[in-house]
Amino acid sequence: MNLIHRIDALLPQTQCGKCDHAGCRPYAEGLAAGEAINKCPPGGSETIAALAQLLQVPVIAPDPERRAAPAQVAFIREAECIGCTKCIQACPVDAIVGASKLMHTVIASECTGCDLCLAPCPVDCIELLPLPDNLVPIVGGLAQTAEHLVARSHRRNQARLRHEQRTVRLQREEARRQAERQARVQRITGTQGADQESALKRAKIAAAMSRAQLNAARGALGATADQAQHAQVQRLEAAAQKAQQQLDALLVGPGHADA
């Protein structure tokens, strides 16, 4: 493994953001670039010691400015849930299931206790509870036996995998939305172009007919043309001028500047 992968393997994979990064992998990248090793509350002193050994830097105390991260699990009071899906969108490991306007629930065995689902909830129906005895803590400092270390490693690897799968899914969904958006723009643009061509065709016909009517009226004027005939020619001249102006306006529009 390269250095970033080796660092990431030591992190708790809560994806909580308490290190000021959007997950454990970005913090691993920062650590490889020289960031402080004490910015991971879920990892605690155990992770600091492991990082210090790997990176050959001194062991330092956990950063006291960062929030605590005990072994915990999110719990949704389902009777109060309004099905807004905001917690589902916030969960970095897809540990919350549900659908719009339907009750949500937390998959306790997949929850990392990151607490990212609390703030988005508009009805404050989510709380963090102590981790049940049947679940292995994912945070540092609580695995005391070799069996627990193996189980914790499995949970961390599972959390990392779920986070990566979620990232891929979100990227795929965004690409699909972009493609649909582009297709809509193309459809609209194509429709507008067809409408413009149709309007131009109608304007050309109207201008030609107006000129023909005007020429016919002028040709019908004799030496004894009366006032009504002259008035008719003037009306046809105004109509022909208006039709030509409308045609000219369309001809200088997008795609017809050189027409």
Side-chain angles (χ1 to χ4, degrees):
M1 293 188 295
N2 63 29
L3 180 59
I4 293 175
H5 283 96
R6 293 166 66 191
I7 294 172
D8 189 46
L10 298 176
L11 299 177
Q13 303 306 314
T14 56
Q15 316 299 342
C16 63
K18 292 181 174 65
C19 59
D20 299 328
H21 289 278
C24 295
R25 178 57 183 264
Y27 182 37
E29 294 171 355
L31 286 166
E35 276 195 48
I37 63 174
N38 66 341
K39 299 167 63 176
C40 177
S45 298
E46 177 186 310
T47 296
I48 291 174
L51 290 172
Q53 182 178 6
L54 173 64
L55 300 173
Q56 296 297 295
V57 297
V59 173
I60 56 178
D63 185 348
E65 299 297 322
R66 299 184 186 279
R67 292 178 294 153
Q72 56 192 5
V73 64
F75 174 76
I76 297 175
R77 296 190 297 276
E78 297 172 353
E80 302 172 31
C81 176
I82 60 173
C84 70
T85 76
K86 293 185 182 299
C87 60
I88 294 177
Q89 298 169 42
C91 180
V93 293
D94 282 341
I96 303 176
V97 294
S100 179
K101 298 182 181 179
L102 296 176
M103 177 188 69
H104 303 343
T105 191
V106 176
I107 306 173
S109 60
E110 303 294 352
C111 176
T112 66
C114 68
D115 77 25
L116 293 177
C117 57
L118 296 186
C121 180
V123 293
D124 196 24
C125 71
I126 306 176
E127 56 186 312
L128 292 171
L129 302 178
L131 196 70
D133 293 336
N134 64 326
L135 293 180
V136 177
I138 198 171
V139 298
L142 298 177
Q144 304 299 330
T145 67
E147 182 182 2
H148 281 170
L149 285 171
V150 171
R152 186 185 68 181
S153 178
H154 175 75
R155 278 205 70 198
R156 288 182 172 183
N157 290 336
Q158 177 70 3
R160 181 189 296 107
L161 177 62
R162 290 180 70 89
H163 180 60
E164 291 172 350
Q165 290 175 335
R166 177 179 183 272
T167 299
V168 171
R169 174 177 60 79
L170 293 179
Q171 291 173 344
R172 184 172 62 248
E173 291 175 353
E174 178 60 23
R176 176 181 53 78
R177 284 192 292 269
Q178 291 285 358
E180 291 175 349
R181 190 177 300 115
Q182 183 63 30
R184 286 196 299 271
V185 169
Q186 291 176 347
R187 287 197 299 270
I188 293 172
T189 302
T191 301
Q192 291 175 339
D195 291 344
Q196 187 176 22
E197 290 299 326
S198 178
L200 178 61
K201 183 177 181 179
R202 291 195 300 270
K204 287 180 178 179
I205 294 173
M209 291 182 61
S210 293
R211 288 194 300 270
Q213 291 174 346
L214 175 59
N215 291 335
R218 284 173 174 171
L221 287 177
T224 58
D226 57 24
Q227 185 175 1
Q229 290 175 311
H230 283 293
Q232 175 68 10
V233 169
Q234 289 177 350
R235 286 194 296 272
L236 292 174
E237 287 175 343
Q241 183 180 14
K242 181 177 180 180
Q244 187 61 44
Q245 289 174 344
Q246 292 174 339
L247 175 60
D248 292 342
L250 291 172
L251 287 173
V252 299
H256 299 286
D258 298 329

